[in-house]
């Protein structure tokens, strides 16, 4: 499943929409990126997201903060961005450091600007199936499944991982599309039995090549959301691709779709806030 190609097409549409917003209002959509500290992976992610924004005609306002920032200072910064009419979307790069109350910082993002889908409001909207901004990676996964016309109704979807930004919302979105969902995590006993029963497998573990071809049901659809050191996913692509009917590569699968959804949601947020 070619995430790079789908992300390119999605972002072309987003860029056209951003240009229409600018033409009609005189204002370009704007994403604020908040980065705490200088974790190399986070610096790279934020730089990549800002570059993609620029390519799509989305302004980005970068707010770097020292690693020593307090929860109160971070909350104040995010609150100011939530109230700034020139900012339409807010991305607070995770992780923010162990001394910070991350939930408090995320909740300072106004739901109208939560284009990364990290607030409790967005999470609840996803759960209820109501309009709201989805978590970008799970939403990107759903786009890939839709693009390849994977029928989810009644299918057994197994999600390995239950993080709040990835595994848990991915399962919620699959459930919303009538899949029968099993969550697996570090305390799951007999993981291999669940893997063998998966029609659709979402790997969101954070362990390089953790799932191998022999673990899979023949013909399974495999989505590898993992991104580990050395540019490797959670699935061993070489062995899994001989068994799966569809599989996402790493890189070039879920990763590009995550950014494409972020940009798309930023332009949607701008449209709404500018009254279009
Ligand atoms: P995370 O918060 O560390 O969660 C990992 C999950 O995997 C946890 O739920 C954990 O279970 C589970 N797990 C760990 N060891 C396991 C085992 N042996 N068997 C079964 N489950 C196990 O990680 P995350 O933020 O969700 O990220 C997961 C991966 O996705 C990482 O590689 C990350 O880089 C990647 N990612 C990619 C994107 C993208 O845009 N492509 C975005 C976000 C994340 P417990 O809950 O029991 O601890």
């Amino acid at each position: 499943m070619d995430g790079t190609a789908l992300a390119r097409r999605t972002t072309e549409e987003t860029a056209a929409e951003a240009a229409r917003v600018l033409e009609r209002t005189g204002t370009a959509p704007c994403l604020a990126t908040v980065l705490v500290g200088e974790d190399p992976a986070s610096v790279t992610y934020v730089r990549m997201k800002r570059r993609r924004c620029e390519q799509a005609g989305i302004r980005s306002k970068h707010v770097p903060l020292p690693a020593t920032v307090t929860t109160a200072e971070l909350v104040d910064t995010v609150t100011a961005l939530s109230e700034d009419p020139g900012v339409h979307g807010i991305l607070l790069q995770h992780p923010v450091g162990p001394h910070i109350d991350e939930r408090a910082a995320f909740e300072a993002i106004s739901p109208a600007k939560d284009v990364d889908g990290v607030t409790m409001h967005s999470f609840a909207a996803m759960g209820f199936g109501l309009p709201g901004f989805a978590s970008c990676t799970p939403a990107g996964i759903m786009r890939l499944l839709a693009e390849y016309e994977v029928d989810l109704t009644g299918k057994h979807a197994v999600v390995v991982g239950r993080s709040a930004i990835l595994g848990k919302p991915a399962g919620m979105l699959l459930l919303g599309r009538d899949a029968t969902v099993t969550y697996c995590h570090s305390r799951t006993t007999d993981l291999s039995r669940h893997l063998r029963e998966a029609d659709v497998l979402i790997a969101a573990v954070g362990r390089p090549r953790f799932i191998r071809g022999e673990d899979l049901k023949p013909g399974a659809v495999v989505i590898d959301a993992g991104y580990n050191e050395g540019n490797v996913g959670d699935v061993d692509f070489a062995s899994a691709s001989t068994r799966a009917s569809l599989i996402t590569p790493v890189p070039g699968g879920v990763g590009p779709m995550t950014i494409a959804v972020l940009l798309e949601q930023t332009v949607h947020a701008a449209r709404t806030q500018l009254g279009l």
Side-chain angles (χ1 to χ4, degrees), residues 137 161-163 165-166 185-186 204-207 210 225-228 255 258:
T137 306
R162 55 172 167 178
S163 72
I165 56 152
L166 180 44
H185 45 79
S186 66
V205 193
R207 287 175 163 232
F210 180 64
Y227 193 70
N228 306 296
T258 299

Side-chain angles (χ1 to χ4, degrees), residues 55-202:
Q55 289 163 354
I58 297 170
R59 226 162 46 79
S60 70
K61 175 184 171 118
H62 187 49
V63 184
L65 295 169
T68 53
V69 73
T70 64
T71 297
E73 288 164 344
L74 180 57
V75 166
D76 284 350
T77 302
V78 175
T79 303
L81 293 169
S82 288
E83 290 167 358
D84 180 347
V87 167
H88 306 110
I90 300 170
L91 170 90
L92 171 57
Q93 184 64 39
H94 159 96
V96 288
H99 66 292
I100 287 176
D101 179 350
E102 183 176 271
R103 188 42 42 204
F106 279 146
E107 292 310 314
I109 300 173
S110 147
K113 298 187 181 184
D114 182 21
V115 294
D116 204 22
V118 293
T119 61
M120 289 199 272
H121 181 281
S122 300
F123 193 83
M126 242 185 315
F128 283 116
L130 292 171
F133 293 118
S135 309
C136 292
T137 306
I141 290 171
M142 298 309 288
R143 291 293 191 78
L144 276 162
L145 292 169
E147 175 72 10
Y148 285 86
E149 297 179 349
V150 175
D151 179 17
L152 294 167
T153 306
K155 295 289 166 17
H156 188 193
V158 174
V159 183
V160 190
R162 55 172 167 178
S163 72
I165 56 152
L166 180 44
K168 211 175 276 179
M172 280 159 52
L173 294 176
L174 289 160
L175 187 63
R177 293 281 312 283
D178 297 327
T180 302
V181 179
T182 299
Y183 284 102
C184 298
H185 45 79
S186 66
R187 310 288 176 88
T188 298
T189 52
D190 206 357
L191 176 66
S192 32
R193 176 170 66 82
H194 296 295
L195 296 179
R196 269 197 313 275
E197 289 174 357
D199 300 310
V200 177
L201 177 71
I202 313 289

